[in-house]
Amino acid sequence: MPRPFGVKHGNKRRKREENYDRDEIKEDEEGEEVGSPEEIDVDVDVVTDLPGIPITVSNQSNKPGAIFILERASLEVAKVGKSYQILNSEDHANFLKKHNKNPAEYRPDIVHQALLMILDSPLNKSGRVRAVYVRTEKGVLFEVKPHVRIPRTYKRFAGVMLQLLQKLSISAVGKRDKLFRVIKNPVTQYLPVDSRKIGFSFSSEKLVDIQKYVAADKADANYVFVVGAMAHGKVDKEYVEDYISISGYPMSAAWCIARICEGLQQKWTVL
């Protein structure tokens, strides 16, 4: 008995769909691949190719705002094999143990998640985030412009951070605006004089509701929030005026930032 035409045609169509799916998956995987530092074109990747949410910068300069400082970020560069890389506990555990270093302390993904939380927040999209500063465990201080597009995947982010720490700045294509730039310490010289400088620590005896805490301030108050971007330990900086805890439980840097942003969004009616 001859094979029905419809069945034969359906098999061909199914094979074509499967081949198409495999090609599409292959293209996606190739698109996520990160080359060595020499192969990454920073200007093109950061502004054009890196995935991210475009931020509409609104003019809020005459309104109060917030500055975020991420302290003790684990962004250490080392030569692994034939290339320089940002060390992390997952990919370089054997390398770190060989050099008598604790892999648990090398968590660059923490600062990546924290930056995503800040830059993706409605608070930032409304123009209320004035600046973002990151200081590494080694004491390198750099600025991240609030309108920059941060890569969504860690590998792409690590590639950008590697280029930044090697070249000291990353500029937008065809513009002089530096999206990332290494700057001189101390960070206090870049902070507004009249701003409230608040640090966060689970060990602080001052447990507060962040929404009520910021609501109690005057309407035109400017804030500087200091959050630790490390796996363990606490931030202890002299320029911080008040150390508070905003939960009875330990929280990640990203979740702490989410609560801060929510508190300010309620205070300033950012929906």
Short mmCIF file of all heavy atoms in Angstrom, two decimals, residues 87-148:
data_model
loop_
_atom_site.label_atom_id
_atom_site.label_comp_id
_atom_site.label_asym_id
_atom_site.label_seq_id
_atom_site.Cartn_x
_atom_site.Cartn_y
_atom_site.Cartn_z
N LEU A 87 38.91 36.76 38.09
CA LEU A 87 38.86 35.52 38.86
C LEU A 87 37.48 35.33 39.50
O LEU A 87 36.91 36.28 40.05
CB LEU A 87 39.93 35.52 39.94
CG LEU A 87 41.38 35.54 39.45
CD1 LEU A 87 42.33 35.61 40.64
CD2 LEU A 87 41.69 34.29 38.62
N ASN A 88 36.97 34.09 39.44
CA ASN A 88 35.72 33.76 40.13
C ASN A 88 35.81 32.35 40.68
O ASN A 88 36.58 31.52 40.19
CB ASN A 88 34.52 33.93 39.19
CG ASN A 88 34.48 32.89 38.09
OD1 ASN A 88 34.07 31.75 38.31
ND2 ASN A 88 34.92 33.28 36.90
N SER A 89 35.02 32.09 41.71
CA SER A 89 35.12 30.83 42.45
C SER A 89 34.68 29.63 41.63
O SER A 89 35.11 28.50 41.90
CB SER A 89 34.27 30.92 43.72
OG SER A 89 32.90 31.17 43.40
N GLU A 90 33.86 29.83 40.62
CA GLU A 90 33.34 28.70 39.85
C GLU A 90 34.33 28.22 38.80
O GLU A 90 34.58 27.01 38.67
CB GLU A 90 32.02 29.09 39.17
CG GLU A 90 31.37 27.94 38.43
CD GLU A 90 30.02 28.32 37.86
OE1 GLU A 90 29.57 29.46 38.09
OE2 GLU A 90 29.42 27.48 37.19
N ASP A 91 34.91 29.14 38.06
CA ASP A 91 35.79 28.77 36.95
C ASP A 91 37.26 28.63 37.36
O ASP A 91 38.04 27.99 36.65
CB ASP A 91 35.69 29.80 35.83
CG ASP A 91 34.29 29.89 35.25
OD1 ASP A 91 33.61 28.85 35.19
OD2 ASP A 91 33.86 31.00 34.87
N HIS A 92 37.65 29.24 38.47
CA HIS A 92 39.07 29.28 38.82
C HIS A 92 39.35 28.71 40.21
O HIS A 92 40.31 29.13 40.86
CB HIS A 92 39.57 30.73 38.74
CG HIS A 92 39.27 31.39 37.43
ND1 HIS A 92 38.39 32.45 37.32
CD2 HIS A 92 39.72 31.14 36.18
CE1 HIS A 92 38.32 32.83 36.06
NE2 HIS A 92 39.11 32.05 35.34
N ALA A 93 38.54 27.78 40.67
CA ALA A 93 38.72 27.22 42.02
C ALA A 93 40.09 26.58 42.18
O ALA A 93 40.79 26.81 43.18
CB ALA A 93 37.62 26.21 42.31
N ASN A 94 40.51 25.77 41.22
CA ASN A 94 41.81 25.10 41.32
C ASN A 94 42.95 26.11 41.26
O ASN A 94 43.95 25.98 41.99
CB ASN A 94 41.96 24.07 40.19
CG ASN A 94 41.00 22.91 40.34
OD1 ASN A 94 40.58 22.57 41.46
ND2 ASN A 94 40.62 22.30 39.23
N PHE A 95 42.81 27.12 40.40
CA PHE A 95 43.84 28.16 40.29
C PHE A 95 43.98 28.90 41.62
O PHE A 95 45.09 29.17 42.08
CB PHE A 95 43.47 29.12 39.17
CG PHE A 95 44.41 30.29 39.02
CD1 PHE A 95 45.54 30.20 38.24
CD2 PHE A 95 44.15 31.50 39.67
CE1 PHE A 95 46.40 31.27 38.10
CE2 PHE A 95 45.00 32.58 39.55
CZ PHE A 95 46.14 32.46 38.76
N LEU A 96 42.87 29.22 42.24
CA LEU A 96 42.89 29.97 43.50
C LEU A 96 43.48 29.13 44.63
O LEU A 96 44.27 29.62 45.44
CB LEU A 96 41.47 30.43 43.85
CG LEU A 96 40.88 31.50 42.92
CD1 LEU A 96 39.39 31.68 43.17
CD2 LEU A 96 41.60 32.83 43.09
N LYS A 97 43.10 27.85 44.70
CA LYS A 97 43.65 26.98 45.74
C LYS A 97 45.15 26.80 45.57
O LYS A 97 45.90 26.73 46.55
CB LYS A 97 42.94 25.63 45.69
CG LYS A 97 41.48 25.68 46.14
CD LYS A 97 40.83 24.31 46.01
CE LYS A 97 39.36 24.37 46.43
NZ LYS A 97 38.69 23.04 46.25
N LYS A 98 45.59 26.73 44.33
CA LYS A 98 47.02 26.57 44.04
C LYS A 98 47.81 27.77 44.55
O LYS A 98 48.97 27.64 44.94
CB LYS A 98 47.21 26.40 42.53
CG LYS A 98 48.65 26.18 42.10
CD LYS A 98 48.74 26.01 40.60
CE LYS A 98 50.19 25.83 40.15
NZ LYS A 98 50.29 25.68 38.66
N HIS A 99 47.18 28.95 44.55
CA HIS A 99 47.84 30.17 45.02
C HIS A 99 47.43 30.54 46.45
O HIS A 99 47.53 31.69 46.85
CB HIS A 99 47.53 31.32 44.06
CG HIS A 99 48.18 31.18 42.72
ND1 HIS A 99 47.66 30.36 41.72
CD2 HIS A 99 49.32 31.73 42.20
CE1 HIS A 99 48.43 30.43 40.65
NE2 HIS A 99 49.45 31.23 40.91
N ASN A 100 46.94 29.54 47.19
CA ASN A 100 46.59 29.70 48.61
C ASN A 100 45.56 30.82 48.84
O ASN A 100 45.69 31.62 49.77
CB ASN A 100 47.85 29.97 49.44
CG ASN A 100 48.83 28.81 49.37
OD1 ASN A 100 48.42 27.65 49.41
ND2 ASN A 100 50.11 29.12 49.26
N LYS A 101 44.55 30.87 47.99
CA LYS A 101 43.48 31.85 48.13
C LYS A 101 42.16 31.13 48.32
O LYS A 101 41.96 30.03 47.79
CB LYS A 101 43.42 32.77 46.91
CG LYS A 101 44.68 33.62 46.73
CD LYS A 101 44.56 34.55 45.56
CE LYS A 101 45.79 35.43 45.42
NZ LYS A 101 45.70 36.38 44.29
N ASN A 102 41.26 31.74 49.06
CA ASN A 102 39.96 31.14 49.34
C ASN A 102 38.99 31.40 48.18
O ASN A 102 38.60 32.55 47.94
CB ASN A 102 39.39 31.72 50.63
CG ASN A 102 38.08 31.07 51.03
OD1 ASN A 102 37.64 30.10 50.40
ND2 ASN A 102 37.44 31.60 52.06
N PRO A 103 38.58 30.37 47.45
CA PRO A 103 37.68 30.58 46.30
C PRO A 103 36.36 31.25 46.68
O PRO A 103 35.77 31.97 45.87
CB PRO A 103 37.44 29.16 45.78
CG PRO A 103 38.62 28.37 46.25
CD PRO A 103 38.97 28.97 47.58
N ALA A 104 35.88 31.03 47.91
CA ALA A 104 34.60 31.60 48.34
C ALA A 104 34.61 33.12 48.36
O ALA A 104 33.56 33.75 48.32
CB ALA A 104 34.23 31.06 49.73
N GLU A 105 35.79 33.72 48.41
CA GLU A 105 35.89 35.18 48.46
C GLU A 105 35.87 35.82 47.07
O GLU A 105 35.81 37.05 46.96
CB GLU A 105 37.17 35.58 49.20
CG GLU A 105 37.18 35.16 50.66
CD GLU A 105 38.48 35.53 51.34
OE1 GLU A 105 39.40 36.05 50.65
OE2 GLU A 105 38.60 35.30 52.56
N TYR A 106 35.95 35.02 46.03
CA TYR A 106 36.01 35.56 44.67
C TYR A 106 34.65 35.42 44.01
O TYR A 106 34.36 34.44 43.33
CB TYR A 106 37.12 34.84 43.88
CG TYR A 106 38.49 35.23 44.38
CD1 TYR A 106 39.02 34.65 45.53
CD2 TYR A 106 39.24 36.20 43.72
CE1 TYR A 106 40.26 35.04 46.01
CE2 TYR A 106 40.48 36.59 44.20
CZ TYR A 106 40.99 36.00 45.33
OH TYR A 106 42.21 36.39 45.81
N ARG A 107 33.81 36.44 44.23
CA ARG A 107 32.43 36.43 43.76
C ARG A 107 32.11 37.70 42.97
O ARG A 107 31.35 38.55 43.43
CB ARG A 107 31.49 36.31 44.96
CG ARG A 107 31.57 34.97 45.70
CD ARG A 107 30.88 33.87 44.92
NE ARG A 107 29.55 34.29 44.51
CZ ARG A 107 28.47 34.26 45.31
NH1 ARG A 107 28.59 33.83 46.56
NH2 ARG A 107 27.30 34.65 44.86
N PRO A 108 32.67 37.86 41.77
CA PRO A 108 32.34 39.05 40.97
C PRO A 108 30.89 39.10 40.50
O PRO A 108 30.40 40.15 40.09
CB PRO A 108 33.30 38.94 39.77
CG PRO A 108 33.66 37.49 39.71
CD PRO A 108 33.65 36.99 41.11
N ASP A 109 30.19 37.96 40.60
CA ASP A 109 28.79 37.94 40.22
C ASP A 109 27.94 38.80 41.15
O ASP A 109 26.86 39.27 40.77
CB ASP A 109 28.25 36.51 40.21
CG ASP A 109 28.41 35.83 41.57
OD1 ASP A 109 29.57 35.63 41.99
OD2 ASP A 109 27.40 35.51 42.21
N ILE A 110 28.44 39.03 42.39
CA ILE A 110 27.67 39.84 43.35
C ILE A 110 27.56 41.28 42.87
O ILE A 110 26.47 41.87 42.89
CB ILE A 110 28.33 39.78 44.74
CG1 ILE A 110 28.25 38.36 45.30
CG2 ILE A 110 27.65 40.76 45.70
CD1 ILE A 110 28.94 38.18 46.64
N VAL A 111 28.66 41.86 42.42
CA VAL A 111 28.62 43.25 41.94
C VAL A 111 27.84 43.33 40.63
O VAL A 111 27.16 44.34 40.35
CB VAL A 111 30.04 43.82 41.79
CG1 VAL A 111 30.81 43.15 40.66
CG2 VAL A 111 29.99 45.33 41.56
N HIS A 112 27.88 42.28 39.82
CA HIS A 112 27.09 42.25 38.58
C HIS A 112 25.59 42.33 38.89
O HIS A 112 24.86 43.15 38.32
CB HIS A 112 27.41 40.97 37.80
CG HIS A 112 26.64 40.82 36.53
ND1 HIS A 112 26.15 39.61 36.09
CD2 HIS A 112 26.25 41.74 35.60
CE1 HIS A 112 25.51 39.79 34.96
NE2 HIS A 112 25.54 41.07 34.63
N GLN A 113 25.13 41.48 39.82
CA GLN A 113 23.72 41.48 40.20
C GLN A 113 23.31 42.81 40.84
O GLN A 113 22.21 43.32 40.59
CB GLN A 113 23.45 40.33 41.17
CG GLN A 113 23.64 38.95 40.56
CD GLN A 113 23.67 37.85 41.60
OE1 GLN A 113 23.44 38.09 42.79
NE2 GLN A 113 23.96 36.63 41.17
N ALA A 114 24.21 43.39 41.64
CA ALA A 114 23.91 44.65 42.30
C ALA A 114 23.75 45.78 41.29
O ALA A 114 22.83 46.61 41.38
CB ALA A 114 25.00 44.99 43.31
N LEU A 115 24.63 45.83 40.31
CA LEU A 115 24.55 46.87 39.27
C LEU A 115 23.28 46.72 38.44
O LEU A 115 22.63 47.72 38.10
CB LEU A 115 25.78 46.82 38.38
CG LEU A 115 27.08 47.36 38.99
CD1 LEU A 115 28.27 47.08 38.06
CD2 LEU A 115 26.97 48.86 39.25
N LEU A 116 22.92 45.50 38.10
CA LEU A 116 21.69 45.27 37.36
C LEU A 116 20.48 45.77 38.14
O LEU A 116 19.57 46.38 37.58
CB LEU A 116 21.52 43.78 37.03
CG LEU A 116 22.41 43.20 35.93
CD1 LEU A 116 22.23 41.69 35.85
CD2 LEU A 116 22.10 43.84 34.59
N MET A 117 20.47 45.51 39.45
CA MET A 117 19.35 45.93 40.28
C MET A 117 19.24 47.45 40.34
O MET A 117 18.14 48.00 40.28
CB MET A 117 19.51 45.34 41.69
CG MET A 117 18.26 45.50 42.55
SD MET A 117 16.84 44.58 41.89
CE MET A 117 17.35 42.88 42.15
N ILE A 118 20.36 48.14 40.42
CA ILE A 118 20.34 49.61 40.46
C ILE A 118 19.90 50.18 39.12
O ILE A 118 18.98 51.01 39.05
CB ILE A 118 21.74 50.16 40.82
CG1 ILE A 118 22.15 49.75 42.23
CG2 ILE A 118 21.75 51.68 40.69
CD1 ILE A 118 23.60 50.06 42.55
N LEU A 119 20.55 49.74 38.05
CA LEU A 119 20.34 50.36 36.74
C LEU A 119 19.01 49.99 36.10
O LEU A 119 18.49 50.72 35.27
CB LEU A 119 21.50 50.00 35.81
CG LEU A 119 22.88 50.44 36.31
CD1 LEU A 119 23.96 50.02 35.33
CD2 LEU A 119 22.93 51.95 36.54
N ASP A 120 18.44 48.85 36.50
CA ASP A 120 17.14 48.43 35.96
C ASP A 120 15.96 48.98 36.76
O ASP A 120 14.81 48.80 36.37
CB ASP A 120 17.03 46.91 35.92
CG ASP A 120 17.84 46.30 34.78
OD1 ASP A 120 18.37 47.07 33.97
OD2 ASP A 120 17.93 45.06 34.71
N SER A 121 16.23 49.62 37.88
CA SER A 121 15.15 50.07 38.76
C SER A 121 14.39 51.26 38.19
O SER A 121 14.96 52.09 37.47
CB SER A 121 15.73 50.46 40.13
OG SER A 121 16.53 51.62 40.01
N PRO A 122 13.10 51.38 38.50
CA PRO A 122 12.35 52.58 38.12
C PRO A 122 12.97 53.85 38.69
O PRO A 122 12.86 54.92 38.09
CB PRO A 122 10.96 52.32 38.72
CG PRO A 122 10.85 50.83 38.80
CD PRO A 122 12.23 50.35 39.11
N LEU A 123 13.63 53.73 39.83
CA LEU A 123 14.31 54.88 40.42
C LEU A 123 15.35 55.44 39.47
O LEU A 123 15.46 56.65 39.28
CB LEU A 123 14.97 54.46 41.74
CG LEU A 123 15.59 55.59 42.57
CD1 LEU A 123 14.52 56.45 43.21
CD2 LEU A 123 16.52 55.01 43.64
N ASN A 124 16.12 54.56 38.85
CA ASN A 124 17.15 55.01 37.90
C ASN A 124 16.53 55.49 36.60
O ASN A 124 16.96 56.50 36.03
CB ASN A 124 18.13 53.87 37.63
CG ASN A 124 19.26 54.32 36.72
OD1 ASN A 124 19.83 55.40 36.87
ND2 ASN A 124 19.60 53.49 35.75
N LYS A 125 15.52 54.78 36.12
CA LYS A 125 14.90 55.17 34.85
C LYS A 125 14.19 56.51 34.95
O LYS A 125 13.98 57.18 33.94
CB LYS A 125 13.92 54.07 34.40
CG LYS A 125 14.63 52.77 34.07
CD LYS A 125 13.63 51.68 33.71
CE LYS A 125 14.34 50.36 33.48
NZ LYS A 125 13.41 49.27 33.12
N SER A 126 13.81 56.90 36.16
CA SER A 126 13.17 58.20 36.35
C SER A 126 14.21 59.32 36.48
O SER A 126 13.84 60.49 36.61
CB SER A 126 12.28 58.18 37.60
OG SER A 126 13.07 58.04 38.77
N GLY A 127 15.50 58.96 36.48
CA GLY A 127 16.55 59.96 36.55
C GLY A 127 16.97 60.34 37.95
O GLY A 127 17.73 61.30 38.14
N ARG A 128 16.54 59.58 38.97
CA ARG A 128 16.85 59.93 40.36
C ARG A 128 18.19 59.37 40.85
O ARG A 128 18.67 59.78 41.89
CB ARG A 128 15.73 59.46 41.29
CG ARG A 128 14.40 60.17 41.09
CD ARG A 128 14.48 61.66 41.39
NE ARG A 128 13.17 62.31 41.40
CZ ARG A 128 12.58 62.77 42.48
NH1 ARG A 128 13.19 62.71 43.65
NH2 ARG A 128 11.39 63.34 42.40
N VAL A 129 18.76 58.40 40.13
CA VAL A 129 20.09 57.90 40.49
C VAL A 129 21.12 58.82 39.86
O VAL A 129 21.24 58.90 38.64
CB VAL A 129 20.30 56.45 40.04
CG1 VAL A 129 21.73 56.00 40.34
CG2 VAL A 129 19.31 55.52 40.73
N ARG A 130 21.87 59.53 40.69
CA ARG A 130 22.83 60.53 40.21
C ARG A 130 24.14 59.91 39.75
O ARG A 130 24.74 60.36 38.78
CB ARG A 130 23.11 61.55 41.32
CG ARG A 130 21.90 62.34 41.74
CD ARG A 130 21.53 63.39 40.68
NE ARG A 130 20.40 64.19 41.12
CZ ARG A 130 19.16 64.03 40.71
NH1 ARG A 130 18.89 63.09 39.82
NH2 ARG A 130 18.18 64.79 41.14
N ALA A 131 24.60 58.89 40.46
CA ALA A 131 25.88 58.26 40.13
C ALA A 131 25.98 56.91 40.81
O ALA A 131 25.29 56.65 41.80
CB ALA A 131 27.05 59.15 40.55
N VAL A 132 26.85 56.06 40.26
CA VAL A 132 27.14 54.76 40.85
C VAL A 132 28.66 54.60 40.88
O VAL A 132 29.33 54.79 39.86
CB VAL A 132 26.52 53.61 40.04
CG1 VAL A 132 26.84 52.26 40.70
CG2 VAL A 132 25.01 53.79 39.90
N TYR A 133 29.19 54.28 42.05
CA TYR A 133 30.63 54.07 42.21
C TYR A 133 30.88 52.66 42.72
O TYR A 133 30.11 52.14 43.54
CB TYR A 133 31.23 55.08 43.18
CG TYR A 133 31.07 56.52 42.74
CD1 TYR A 133 30.09 57.33 43.31
CD2 TYR A 133 31.89 57.07 41.75
CE1 TYR A 133 29.92 58.65 42.91
CE2 TYR A 133 31.73 58.38 41.33
CZ TYR A 133 30.75 59.17 41.92
OH TYR A 133 30.59 60.47 41.51
N VAL A 134 31.95 52.06 42.25
CA VAL A 134 32.35 50.72 42.69
C VAL A 134 33.80 50.77 43.12
O VAL A 134 34.65 51.30 42.39
CB VAL A 134 32.18 49.68 41.56
CG1 VAL A 134 32.62 48.29 42.04
CG2 VAL A 134 30.73 49.64 41.06
N ARG A 135 34.08 50.24 44.31
CA ARG A 135 35.46 50.13 44.76
C ARG A 135 35.78 48.65 44.96
O ARG A 135 35.05 47.95 45.66
CB ARG A 135 35.71 50.90 46.06
CG ARG A 135 37.16 50.77 46.49
CD ARG A 135 37.67 51.77 47.48
NE ARG A 135 36.69 52.40 48.31
CZ ARG A 135 36.81 53.65 48.77
NH1 ARG A 135 37.84 54.38 48.43
NH2 ARG A 135 35.89 54.15 49.56
N THR A 136 36.85 48.20 44.36
CA THR A 136 37.23 46.79 44.43
C THR A 136 37.93 46.49 45.75
O THR A 136 38.31 47.38 46.50
CB THR A 136 38.16 46.41 43.27
OG1 THR A 136 39.44 47.02 43.47
CG2 THR A 136 37.58 46.85 41.94
N GLU A 137 38.09 45.21 46.01
CA GLU A 137 38.79 44.76 47.23
C GLU A 137 40.22 45.28 47.25
O GLU A 137 40.79 45.50 48.33
CB GLU A 137 38.77 43.24 47.28
CG GLU A 137 39.15 42.64 48.62
CD GLU A 137 38.08 42.80 49.69
OE1 GLU A 137 37.08 42.08 49.66
OE2 GLU A 137 38.28 43.68 50.55
N LYS A 138 40.80 45.49 46.07
CA LYS A 138 42.17 46.01 45.97
C LYS A 138 42.24 47.53 46.05
O LYS A 138 43.32 48.11 46.00
CB LYS A 138 42.79 45.55 44.65
CG LYS A 138 42.95 44.04 44.53
CD LYS A 138 43.99 43.49 45.48
CE LYS A 138 44.25 42.02 45.26
NZ LYS A 138 45.27 41.47 46.19
N GLY A 139 41.08 48.19 46.16
CA GLY A 139 41.06 49.64 46.31
C GLY A 139 40.92 50.44 45.04
O GLY A 139 41.02 51.67 45.06
N VAL A 140 40.67 49.78 43.91
CA VAL A 140 40.46 50.49 42.64
C VAL A 140 39.04 51.05 42.62
O VAL A 140 38.07 50.31 42.83
CB VAL A 140 40.69 49.57 41.43
CG1 VAL A 140 40.43 50.31 40.13
CG2 VAL A 140 42.10 49.00 41.46
N LEU A 141 38.92 52.33 42.35
CA LEU A 141 37.61 53.00 42.35
C LEU A 141 37.23 53.36 40.92
O LEU A 141 38.02 53.94 40.18
CB LEU A 141 37.67 54.27 43.20
CG LEU A 141 36.40 55.13 43.26
CD1 LEU A 141 35.27 54.39 43.97
CD2 LEU A 141 36.70 56.46 43.97
N PHE A 142 36.00 52.99 40.51
CA PHE A 142 35.55 53.40 39.18
C PHE A 142 34.08 53.82 39.21
O PHE A 142 33.32 53.43 40.10
CB PHE A 142 35.78 52.31 38.12
CG PHE A 142 35.05 51.01 38.33
CD1 PHE A 142 33.78 50.82 37.81
CD2 PHE A 142 35.64 49.97 39.01
CE1 PHE A 142 33.10 49.63 37.98
CE2 PHE A 142 34.98 48.75 39.19
CZ PHE A 142 33.71 48.59 38.66
N GLU A 143 33.73 54.64 38.24
CA GLU A 143 32.38 55.18 38.13
C GLU A 143 31.62 54.49 37.01
O GLU A 143 32.18 54.19 35.95
CB GLU A 143 32.44 56.68 37.85
CG GLU A 143 31.08 57.34 37.68
CD GLU A 143 31.18 58.79 37.23
OE1 GLU A 143 32.28 59.22 36.84
OE2 GLU A 143 30.14 59.48 37.25
N VAL A 144 30.35 54.22 37.26
CA VAL A 144 29.46 53.65 36.25
C VAL A 144 28.36 54.67 35.99
O VAL A 144 27.63 55.04 36.92
CB VAL A 144 28.84 52.32 36.73
CG1 VAL A 144 27.92 51.75 35.64
CG2 VAL A 144 29.93 51.32 37.09
N LYS A 145 28.23 55.14 34.76
CA LYS A 145 27.20 56.12 34.45
C LYS A 145 25.81 55.47 34.56
O LYS A 145 25.62 54.33 34.11
CB LYS A 145 27.41 56.68 33.04
CG LYS A 145 28.62 57.60 32.92
CD LYS A 145 28.45 58.84 33.78
CE LYS A 145 29.67 59.76 33.70
NZ LYS A 145 29.82 60.38 32.37
N PRO A 146 24.85 56.16 35.14
CA PRO A 146 23.52 55.57 35.35
C PRO A 146 22.81 55.16 34.06
O PRO A 146 21.92 54.30 34.10
CB PRO A 146 22.75 56.68 36.07
CG PRO A 146 23.81 57.49 36.75
CD PRO A 146 24.98 57.46 35.80
N HIS A 147 23.17 55.75 32.92
CA HIS A 147 22.47 55.41 31.68
C HIS A 147 23.16 54.30 30.88
O HIS A 147 22.76 54.00 29.75
CB HIS A 147 22.33 56.66 30.80
CG HIS A 147 23.65 57.28 30.42
ND1 HIS A 147 24.25 58.23 31.20
CD2 HIS A 147 24.47 57.08 29.36
CE1 HIS A 147 25.40 58.62 30.64
NE2 HIS A 147 25.55 57.93 29.52
N VAL A 148 24.19 53.68 31.45
CA VAL A 148 24.93 52.64 30.73
C VAL A 148 24.09 51.37 30.63
O VAL A 148 23.21 51.12 31.46
CB VAL A 148 26.27 52.35 31.43
CG1 VAL A 148 26.04 51.58 32.71
CG2 VAL A 148 27.21 51.58 30.52
#
